[in-house]
Amino acid sequence: MKIIVALKQVPARDSQLKVAPSGKWIDESDLTFEINEPDAYALEEALQLKEKHGGEVIVLCAGPERAASSIREALAKGADRAIHIEEDDLGAYDTLALARVLAKAAETEKPDLVLTGLQSDDLGSGQTGVVMAELMGLPHATIIMQVELAGAGLRVKRELEDGWFQFAGMPLPALLTIQSGINKLRYATLMGIKKAKSKEIRRLTAADLGVPPRSTVTVAGIFAPPRMKQTQILDGSPREAAAKLVEKLKFEARVI
Amino acid sequence: MNGILVVTETGLNGLHKMSLETVAAGQQLSRELGQPVSAAVFLTAPLSAKLDRVYRVQHDLLSAYTADGYTAALEALIHQADPAVVLFPHTYQVRDFAPKLATRFGQVLISDIIGVHEGKWRRQLFQGKLNADFLPQPGTRVFASIQAGAFRADQLEAGAAPEEIFSPALDPSLLRQKPEPPFRESARAVDLSAADVIVSVGRGIKEQDNIPVVEELAKALGAELAASRPICDNGWLPMERQVGSSGQTVAPKVYVAVGISGAIQHLVGMKGSKTIVAINKDPNAPIFEVADYGIIGDLFEVVPALVDEVKKARG
């Protein structure tokens, strides 16, 4: 089975974010970047499917040069090769335009299965996978917690709300968006890191794929959210702060 | 193109609760834009709201949800009704089909919005650390999904609406997903919604071996222990203790969030709590946007001190 995993590089989770002078994106200098967490679970699922059923795992990633570090990490974990769509300014592409770029690149591989995370930790629009499926003419399912091969197709477990789940079948090829927690993530081994150095990374640009930048929706500005509540900060040493909180819990919330 | 179309969601027991919030949002936008507002309702769920029209979307192939079926049906309805704005509740189901539907019209869904002001659609970035205003190209159809709680169902203007049956032409071969009936994993042994006090733990706890640190606090306070999703994903606490959009929704007297940054998926499950306490080392963590009391510091120092102080106060 040939599996493509679309993954995104995002600022590390604990990053302190500052709005860039343009007011339209964050200041990316001084940030460290990592694989978007749900995409890491998608990669792990692909690697496990390959171990069970054979085949090939291809990483697909659009991003500037720095994204190469996340691609290397995916190769070190066991992906076979990668396609890096190297673009410095992805801000000029809205979700639809970027999904076009990814779909074009994915189509050249004729994959049996395309996996990606259910959403990104930065933009969080949760759409790239579904839009890719539509553009590629593939059936899809989202927020997936289990993937099984069933005959010539798939049987997948969708997470619904409030603790409900549902199985659904669909033919291959297909696209799935993977929920965090579907599996246990592996670490790259030293051997894996060594091997990754000789694995193929194909570099392309969006222009090579014939997809021009386009935005039907543009960012007017980004800013820190206003506080909904006036948080009373209890300061002092840990002990002093704890004592102040106990006062509040006892005399205001009345739960002690 | 004119007017607003609200696509509602029908759950296992009638309309999904976020459907009414979305109808309220549609009514508000209708007043602001001076344009009519209609709603699409699947199955036979009752809806009483002041609307210009209710479309009852009916077809045998729509009795169980599929992304392919819903997309095809709504594509046909949008062609007929020709709305300028299509609104959805930002539910799991909507996340499954609305991006596909918007793509059919060459548009991008503006997802999970928290408000709309003067043509700018506001949504959160970086798990709630920043907000962004998005501007659709003028003259294009807007597709937007609305975050839980961003509009209030009690602001809904009650009333009636002329109903129209909309039966799209659907071909069974269009529906590639074959859904099975929904199920619950197991009977829930833990009902967090009954607890007066909840101590909830997030990524800040760093590793499973540290869980007893917060267990001690829960014990001292006579509280139920809960967690944000990543803790349950890692198997450090059982899934049934998860609070948030994929877990339980709680509103205790006191909710103590320990090492929880406050991603929206978590906030929707607990922001109705009467008093919220946040203990976090990051003063910019979104959890402080909803907290009544905050302690900025290392939880491994603060929580043991708190356990001592609680025990002291209890005598």
Side-chain angles (χ1 to χ4, degrees), chain B residues 250-264:
Chain B
V250 298
K253 283 188 190 156
V254 173
Y255 189 91
V256 185
V258 180
I260 292 178
S261 68
I264 178 60

Side-chain angles (χ1 to χ4, degrees), chain B residues 9 12 17 47 69-70 73 82 103 111 120 162 179 207 217 234:
Chain B
E9 180 164 327
L12 298 169
K17 60 181 188 287
L47 169 64
Y70 270 47
D82 199 26
T103 303
S111 60
K120 289 180 192 160
E207 49 189 297
L217 179 60
N234 285 333

